């Protein structure tokens, strides 16, 4: 996949470099904070090679999939490193509901793979035990059961990490505060 060509098309179709205030990515999407969402050619953007769709709400999100890091690097290269030595993006006036939803999604979206993986592992262990293929007293079963439960057990600390990332504060301090609160319970 030639991400350089796709990156230049994406930049053009979202209104050019001057329309981009901030660029970031999650596990599958390029997330643009734009000066004017009206400049986006959504229909054309959905047909860019390598893209899998477009969503526009609080941000313009170009769905890429597993190659999002390569796409991000190519777009950021075309923009001349927009995120380096640049102040925080200009705040646009948004609805309160949109801000709250964006905040919650930014915190919990990175945790979904860990929680889902733990749930799948625990489900497989339950199935194997129900079929009689493993014993619940077996040390391997107990260890895998603990691993499967770890994402939920440590959820407060994981939420502290992702919240610290979203708020751009020190992760170690956030983890320490949450761990201290948990020790009081």
């Amino acid at each position: 996949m030639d991400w350089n060509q796709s990156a230049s098309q994406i930049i053009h179709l979202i209104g050019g470099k001057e329309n981009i205030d901030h660029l970031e990515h999650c596990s599958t999407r390029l997330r643009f904070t734009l000066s004017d969402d009206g400049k986006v050619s959504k229909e054309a953007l959905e047909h860019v090679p390598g893209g899998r769709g477009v969503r526009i709400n609080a941000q313009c999100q170009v769905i890429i999939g597993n190659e999002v890091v390569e796409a991000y690097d190519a777009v950021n290269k075309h923009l001349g490193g927009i995120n380096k030595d640049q102040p925080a993006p200009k705040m646009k006036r948004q609805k309160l509901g949109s801000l709250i939803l964006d905040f919650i999604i930014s915190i919990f979206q990175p945790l979904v793979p860990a929680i889902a993986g733990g749930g799948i592992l625990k489900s497989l262990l339950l199935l194997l035990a129900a079929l009689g293929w493993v014993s619940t007293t077996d040390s391997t079963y107990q260890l895998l059961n603990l691993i499967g439960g770890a994402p939920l057990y440590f959820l407060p600390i994981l939420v502290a990490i992702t919240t610290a990332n979203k708020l751009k504060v020190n992760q170690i301090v956030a983890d320490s505060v949450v761990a201290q609160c948990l020790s009081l319970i």
Side-chain angles (χ1 to χ4, degrees):
M1 178 78 224
D2 182 16
W3 285 110
N4 287 322
Q5 183 180 5
S6 294
S8 63
Q9 288 179 355
I10 290 170
I11 292 168
H12 173 71
L13 293 172
I14 60 173
K17 292 180 183 181
E18 59 279 349
N19 195 33
I20 301 171
D21 292 333
H22 185 72
L23 168 66
E24 61 185 319
H25 70 87
C26 64
S27 58
T28 59
R29 300 174 182 209
L30 294 174
R31 297 176 178 264
F32 294 93
T33 302
L34 303 175
S35 299
D36 182 6
D37 291 337
K39 293 182 178 180
V40 176
S41 301
K42 185 177 177 185
E43 291 79 25
L45 195 55
E46 289 179 344
H47 299 293
V48 170
R52 297 184 179 183
V54 178
R55 301 289 180 269
I56 299 177
N57 43 37
Q59 296 176 319
C60 175
Q61 302 173 14
V62 180
I63 303 167
I64 301 294
N66 293 335
E67 296 183 20
V68 71
V69 174
E70 292 85 357
Y72 172 83
D73 290 341
V75 171
N76 203 27
K77 180 181 171 187
H78 279 282
L79 295 174
I82 190 171
N83 293 331
K84 294 179 182 172
D85 303 323
Q86 182 176 343
K90 295 179 243 172
M91 294 301 291
K92 294 190 296 185
R93 198 142 166 91
Q94 297 178 1
K95 294 180 182 177
L96 180 62
S98 177
L99 286 172
I100 291 171
L101 184 61
D102 180 55
F103 187 76
I104 291 171
I105 289 171
S106 296
I107 290 171
F108 287 100
Q109 186 268 336
L111 301 177
V112 169
I115 294 169
I120 290 170
L121 179 59
K122 288 184 77 88
S123 297
L124 287 174
L125 288 172
L126 183 63
L127 178 65
L128 293 174
L131 293 173
W133 293 351
V134 295
S135 170
T136 57
T137 58
D138 185 33
S139 61
T140 303
Y141 175 91
Q142 291 177 352
L143 177 65
L144 291 174
N145 192 40
L146 286 173
I147 292 170
L152 291 178
Y153 184 80
F154 292 108
L155 187 62
I157 293 174
L158 297 174
V159 168
I161 292 169
T162 57
T163 304
N165 284 341
K166 174 67 177 169
L167 298 175
K168 295 180 177 38
V169 297
N170 191 319
Q171 286 182 8
I172 295 173
V173 173
D175 290 343
S176 300
V177 169
V178 170
Q180 182 61 38
C181 291
L182 289 174
S183 70
L184 297 174
I185 296 176

